[in-house]
Amino acid sequence: MNIVETIQEVRQIVGEWKKKGLTVGLVPTMGYLHEGHASLIEQAAKQNDKVIVSVFVNPTQFGVNEDLDSYPRDLQHDVKICEQAGGDCIFHPEPEEMYPQGFCSFVDMDVLTKELCGITRPTHFRGVCTVVNKLFNIVMPDRAYFGEKDAQQLAVIRRMVKDLNIPIEIIGCPIIREPDGLAKSSRNTYLSPEERKAALVLYKSISAGKQLVSSGEKRAEIIIQKMTEILTAEPLARIDYVKIVDAETMQPISEIDRPYLAAIAVYIGKTRLIDNFS
Ligand code: AMP
């Protein structure tokens, strides 16, 4: 397993692979890897000759009062998970390597980024688009892997690749959950034992919404109402949003008459968790 910190080293490694005609998959992460990340790496290893995993807590996607400083980090553990899942190289740059003095170019997006998480986190997707674009330009992979756990992010990346003619195939991978249903997330480590129990309410709400849709309910309002009711019953939960949107544009819809995304964001104590179904 190669662990590199500079852009030059990554370019050299990928350059050698490409000279041999090998295909390259990229899995962008913020580290503190768990089975959710591992599933992306495994998928990338199945579809490509070589896999690069980036581990970078990207400062530009955090808002001023968010958890940039407290975000969990453990590179040794990440190396282990990455190796087991079939990764070949970890790119772990320092913030200065990605954002040197004088950095002032950003990739921004309208429409999709103004809904859902974009309301509470107005600068988040600008940071995501910028860093993912930089990673694409640095690694120049054939394919890049993103989790459906962050469904809006996946839709944003798909849109960006289309709009900016980036020749990389974007692969979405299913949500990996804890045995009790909570979606795996590096941020789950913030939860106290009591909050961890309360966090199950997200999955309960998602399951109830899914159930309604499978039973034929098409009215977004009814589905949202049921999901909200379940979340509201948990005293430790505070809703950020419960929404049903068009799967491609992220704009709210009133009827499920096309591919959709039902998404929730909920604070459990101070920790903001997201989940979705589609
Ligand atoms: P993060 O390190 O949280 O930025 O996540 C890196 C990538 O892993 C993103 O594409 C996430 O959507 C994906 N991911 C995180 N958690 C999960 C999960 N529970 N299931 C599937 N993918 C996930």
Side-chain angles (χ1 to χ4, degrees), residues 27-37 39-40 61 71 145-151 153 173-177 182-187:
V27 182
T29 82
M30 296 209 298
Y32 215 70
L33 303 184
H34 49 65
E35 286 93 332
H37 301 110
S39 75
L40 270 58
Q61 71 188 67
Y71 198 85
Y145 296 78
F146 295 87
E148 287 169 2
K149 151 100 188 336
D150 300 275
Q153 170 173 277
C173 303
I175 302 177
I176 303 297
R177 298 179 178 281
L182 178 67
K184 286 191 185 265
S185 165
S186 310
R187 289 192 167 97

Side-chain angles (χ1 to χ4, degrees), residues 21-258:
L22 302 176
T23 56
V24 178
L26 169 68
V27 182
T29 82
M30 296 209 298
Y32 215 70
L33 303 184
H34 49 65
E35 286 93 332
H37 301 110
S39 75
L40 270 58
I41 301 169
E42 282 161 13
Q43 184 65 19
K46 268 189 212 151
Q47 296 181 324
N48 302 274
D49 299 315
K50 296 288 181 184
V51 177
I52 293 205
V53 178
S54 59
V55 172
F56 179 58
V57 182
N58 173 37
T60 62
Q61 71 188 67
F62 287 79
V64 271
N65 291 318
E66 292 183 356
D67 56 341
L68 173 62
D69 294 334
S70 55
Y71 198 85
R73 292 156 166 94
D74 185 349
L75 187 62
Q76 269 188 355
H77 171 77
D78 291 347
V79 172
K80 230 193 268 167
I81 301 261
C82 183
E83 244 165 9
Q84 282 166 359
D88 297 287
C89 175
I90 289 186
F91 176 42
H92 178 243
E94 289 295 326
E96 297 73 32
E97 178 73 1
M98 294 297 272
Y99 300 108
Q101 181 111 48
F103 184 96
C104 58
S105 306
F106 293 88
V107 179
D108 214 342
M109 186 184 294
D110 277 339
V111 187
L112 283 79
T113 62
K114 308 295 179 206
E115 265 298 331
L116 307 177
C117 291
I119 296 172
T120 319
R121 309 185 74 193
T123 58
H124 174 66
F125 289 109
R126 179 171 111 131
V128 169
C129 287
T130 301
V131 80
V132 169
N133 228 284
K134 282 174 68 73
L135 290 168
F136 284 178
N137 286 331
I138 292 164
V139 176
M140 294 203 283
D142 298 278
R143 300 181 187 85
Y145 296 78
F146 295 87
E148 287 169 2
K149 151 100 188 336
D150 300 275
Q152 185 177 16
Q153 170 173 277
L154 176 56
V156 164
I157 301 295
R158 284 193 196 285
R159 186 77 242 174
M160 178 179 79
V161 161
K162 208 171 177 177
D163 286 352
L164 302 182
N165 309 99
I166 300 174
I168 295 171
E169 189 183 351
I170 304 302
I171 314 280
C173 303
I175 302 177
I176 303 297
R177 298 179 178 281
E178 299 287 352
D180 66 1
L182 178 67
K184 286 191 185 265
S185 165
S186 310
R187 289 192 167 97
N188 290 350
T189 50
Y190 297 149
L191 301 169
S192 70
E194 196 191 356
E195 288 171 340
R196 173 62 185 80
K197 270 189 216 149
L200 244 202
V201 75
L202 276 89
Y203 183 59
K204 281 188 198 146
S205 169
I206 289 291
S207 306
K210 226 179 190 170
Q211 181 75 42
L212 268 180
V213 176
S214 351
S215 70
E217 182 56 65
K218 297 224 176 299
R219 293 164 294 176
E221 196 187 333
I222 303 291
I223 301 158
I224 290 170
Q225 194 180 22
K226 178 74 191 168
M227 291 172 71
T228 304
E229 223 174 76
I230 292 171
L231 292 168
T232 312
E234 170 51 60
L236 294 183
R238 182 167 61 83
I239 296 174
D240 178 2
Y241 64 76
V242 178
K243 283 193 179 164
I244 299 184
V245 298
D246 178 293
E248 203 177 314
T249 65
M250 300 287 111
Q251 302 307 295
I253 54 176
S254 51
E255 280 267 312
I256 296 198
D257 53 3
R258 67 193 98 173

